[in-house]
Amino acid sequence: MREILKNYSGIILLLAGIVIGSFIGIFFPGSVVYLKPLGDIFLNLLFVSVVPLVFFAVANSISAVEKQGKFGRILISMIFTFLLFIIIAALFTIAAVYFFPTEATGMNAKEILENPADTKSWGDRIVSFFTVGEFTQLFSRQNMLALLIFAFLTGTAVRKAGAAGENFKKFLSSGYEVMKALLLLVMKAAPIGLGAYFAYQVATIGPQLFGFYAKPLGLYYVAGTVYFLVFFSIYAFVAMGKSGVQKFWKNNIYPSLTAISTCSSFATMPANLQAAAKIGVPDSIANIVIPIGSTLHKNGSSMSSIIKIYVAFLIIGKDFFEPSNLLLALGITIFVSIVAGGIPNGGYIGEMLMISVYQLPVEAIPAVMIIGTLVDPLATVLNSTGDTVASMFVTKISREKFIQT
């Protein structure tokens, strides 16, 4: 019994914090305004710790890969895995809405969801996705893709520098270890911080789940749960067999609870890295796949993109299942799943892209944005924990060996 408590104490404390937070959010919603600052403080500490961890983890892993062929194999395997999982998630959701059609009856198209207008041109948006104008802007969670690219190039440059870059290589390795230790310290406050944040989520978003959006939301949550349990198990089985399925689910509890509480793939990254290490994924793969995956690999966003497009077509009375509409939906979904940032409510750009591509009326915007907000908890679980199983899959297809744990 003592051994069980020792091994699962972190999960038990986190679960207790979430349960207590849920009860507070349900029965004492007026008190959440006083609890939310505790959650915000914890998340802010987590974010400022994770940003440098991402840089050091990616740059260190790439600089430490000894053989060029091995590095290329890992990279190609990662890209293939990300695209495969995103497309499978989208196709599964299309099948779900086809066999279990729903209705958008009662949705109020005149509802207004405040969201600042984006006046940037598409050229400016593309530039801002991949780069920033100042070095200091790199270390912001709002510029994660630019940071990942910079870390990737830094690690590659260290490899190219050879012996002259050995000291910098040691700095990257040391920085990675220090940032891991810092995150462990910050995560000790997780039960309190996430419990407070979860109380706020339940009190503010929870009641909306029973409104006009119940049917499409119900479809998403059922389909998402099935995908989570069935497809992630299949991916883990392909990677490591039966032991892989057991190891994945045993170590996926803490990351899943973190994802539900924070609605942020970014905030879940430390828990994913710890889970991957316990599963036996080599650091050289986990430290590349999981940080990059937090921005470029999103199963949940793939599924929510299909649901939002489907609901928009229901509202305007058009056929979603027309082949040209389905192909466009897949294209938009792949783009959204890759571009949308690993931060809460990061899918608004994709929603505006959807409205633009399909030339939908402005009345559809509030509905898809509200749905995007309400599916965020489960979408984040799928987005973030999908990175862990993706790292297992990449290890398998890149012919690397799992570490015995």
Side-chain angles (χ1 to χ4, degrees), residues 238-380:
V238 172
M240 293 182 70
K242 290 183 179 179
S243 65
V245 178
Q246 294 171 350
K247 287 182 178 180
F248 173 73
W249 289 114
K250 177 182 177 182
N251 293 288
N252 196 44
I253 300 173
Y254 195 98
S256 298
L257 292 175
T258 303
I260 292 173
S261 303
T262 62
C263 289
S264 172
S265 301
F266 196 43
T268 312
M269 193 192 309
N272 283 337
L273 289 169
Q274 291 178 359
K278 292 178 181 178
I279 291 169
V281 177
D283 286 347
S284 60
I285 291 179
N287 292 340
I288 294 175
V289 173
I290 291 176
I292 293 178
S294 69
T295 298
L296 304 182
H297 173 234
K298 292 180 168 57
N299 294 270
S301 295
S302 175
M303 298 184 73
S304 68
S305 175
I306 295 296
I307 290 288
K308 286 183 284 190
I309 295 172
Y310 174 64
V311 168
F313 271 76
L314 286 176
I315 292 173
I316 63 175
K318 290 188 177 181
D319 184 15
F320 170 71
F321 296 103
E322 184 180 317
S324 60
N325 289 335
L326 288 177
L327 287 175
L328 268 178
L330 280 175
I332 291 171
T333 294
I334 292 171
F335 181 83
V336 169
S337 302
I338 290 174
V339 171
I343 57 176
N345 302 320
Y348 288 142
I349 291 174
E351 289 155 4
M352 299 308 296
L353 173 66
M354 178 191 78
I355 298 295
S356 173
V357 169
Y358 283 111
Q359 296 184 336
L360 299 175
V362 70
E363 287 81 9
I365 296 177
V368 297
M369 285 188 169
I370 290 172
I371 288 174
T373 299
L374 297 180
V375 303
D376 210 27
L378 181 57
T380 305

Side-chain angles (χ1 to χ4, degrees), residues 39-84:
D40 288 339
I41 289 171
F42 170 73
L43 285 182
N44 287 342
L45 285 173
L46 191 61
F47 286 141
V48 298
S49 303
V50 171
V51 170
L53 173 67
V54 169
F55 170 76
F56 281 111
V58 174
N60 177 58
S61 293
I62 292 175
S63 67
V65 177
E66 295 179 0
K67 296 180 180 179
Q68 185 68 33
K70 178 181 177 181
F71 173 65
R73 192 165 65 244
I74 292 173
L75 190 63
I76 292 172
S77 299
M78 180 182 68
I79 294 170
F80 171 78
T81 300
F82 287 175
L83 286 174
L84 176 66

Side-chain angles (χ1 to χ4, degrees), residues 75-111:
L75 190 63
I76 292 172
S77 299
M78 180 182 68
I79 294 170
F80 171 78
T81 300
F82 287 175
L83 286 174
L84 176 66
F85 286 9
I86 288 170
I87 292 172
I88 289 175
L91 292 175
F92 174 74
T93 311
I94 290 173
V97 298
Y98 180 79
F99 289 108
F100 302 97
T102 183
E103 297 177 357
T105 305
M107 285 191 177
N108 184 359
K110 294 183 180 179
E111 290 183 65

